[in-house]
Amino acid sequence: MAITVDPEPVWDQPNTVPEKWIETVDDNVATRLPEGSRIKGISPYGASYWTRTAEIKTEQADGTPRSFFLKVTQNETGKAMVSGEFESMRALHNVSPDLTPEPLAWGTFARDDHAHFFLCKFVKMTDDLPDVEASVKMLAGLHAESSSPTGLYGFHVPTLQGTVPQYTDWTESWEEFFTKSIKLVFDNEKRSQGHDEEVQYLCQETLSKVVPRLLRPLETGGRHIRPCLIHGDIWDGNVSTAVATDLPVIYDATCLYAHNELELAPLRPVRHRMGQQYVEAYFRNFPISPPEEDQDDRNALYCLRWDMNCSTLYPGNLRYRKMCIEVMKYLTQKYAEGYEGWAKARGEEVVSR
């Protein structure tokens, strides 16, 4: 079993988004608040490496107080971040409205066209992780009740993992989609951290042997999966408990229509407080995709994509890369015979892609 270990802190760089963007409420943000809202104040709320976040306090037309959550980014990358997050949160909210804050708008500041924003209703949250059973039931429900509008894997707008765009083009086969997705991640990580012969060899072996071995059986031999809506970044930094309802709430989404098990990738690293107990509880509410015996190694492969993207986000810090090397060594050694060797050993027809 391949496990990712806990790295040391990874980032000590200053936030480059000016704090001035959350000192006052921009006119274009104000116009997206409910009609009749009177702004009473704005103050920083939460923390982020790449954005500024704030709570906007208002008084509504009927006199009741109401708060809203504002996230501000800058430049073209930031614009893609907030547009992707808005479309992601809207898709999630349409399927599971009790699981997410309601998104209201995204756009560009009136006073500076380099500044961009995401706006949603404010949900007061505790510092506690959500109840295991309640959160996995809601997550499994999201996966079971959602379906791709095209019947394909992908998403209708670009979405980003942190500041890095992920692959979202509509694709018929899950194996093909994931291959293109993780290859993009590998290429991004190489640009961020530099060329390394061992890493490049392991990446190629992963693409040519491990991915077909673990993913092709999901869609051959009479086995089937379907694309469902996933949040895309479920870990304890993006999940909490709503004070008003005591129910789980998820945010900071980077959605895909994907194999549901991809959702569980960030729950693998032991550095996260949400871990194996959530995975085990999830599979009590949503069946493991056959071949069931491959589930843990599929999870390791899915987590590899997640951790390699983490490596991309922190240039000069090789801790994630070192973890990924160990995971790839494990997977490439275990699956050296690839898909064809597995299919022949089981007496299944070898399906070429």
Side-chain angles (χ1 to χ4, degrees), residues 196-268:
D196 181 278
E197 286 293 337
E198 181 183 32
V199 171
Q200 297 314 305
Y201 170 77
L202 290 169
C203 287
Q204 185 54 45
E205 288 292 287
T206 299
L207 288 168
S208 64
K209 294 182 179 178
V210 178
V211 173
R213 164 60 187 86
L214 289 175
L215 302 192
R216 196 168 304 171
L218 292 168
E219 302 174 294
T220 57
R223 294 171 292 266
H224 302 281
I225 57 173
R226 66 175 187 85
C228 65
L229 183 64
I230 68 166
H231 172 283
D233 199 13
I234 288 288
W235 68 288
D236 40 271
N238 292 337
V239 178
S240 189
T241 302
V243 170
T245 63
D246 201 35
L247 291 174
V249 58
I250 61 177
Y251 42 93
D252 280 354
T254 176
C255 283
L256 292 170
Y257 289 96
H259 181 209
N260 65 291
E261 291 181 14
L262 185 66
E263 189 83 277
L264 309 179
L267 304 182
R268 189 177 190 85

Side-chain angles (χ1 to χ4, degrees), residues 146-155 170-171 226-229 256-258:
S146 61
S147 59
S148 168
T150 64
L152 305 176
Y153 296 95
F155 203 62
W170 295 115
T171 309
R226 66 175 187 85
C228 65
L229 183 64
L256 292 170
Y257 289 96

Side-chain angles (χ1 to χ4, degrees), residues 11 39 47 93 102 117 127 202 239 259 286 305-306 321 334:
W11 197 243
I39 296 170
H93 195 76
E102 182 180 352
F117 68 89
D127 293 328
L202 290 169
V239 178
H259 181 209
F286 202 109
R305 169 186 172 273
W306 201 80
R321 173 178 272 193
K334 182 171 181 178

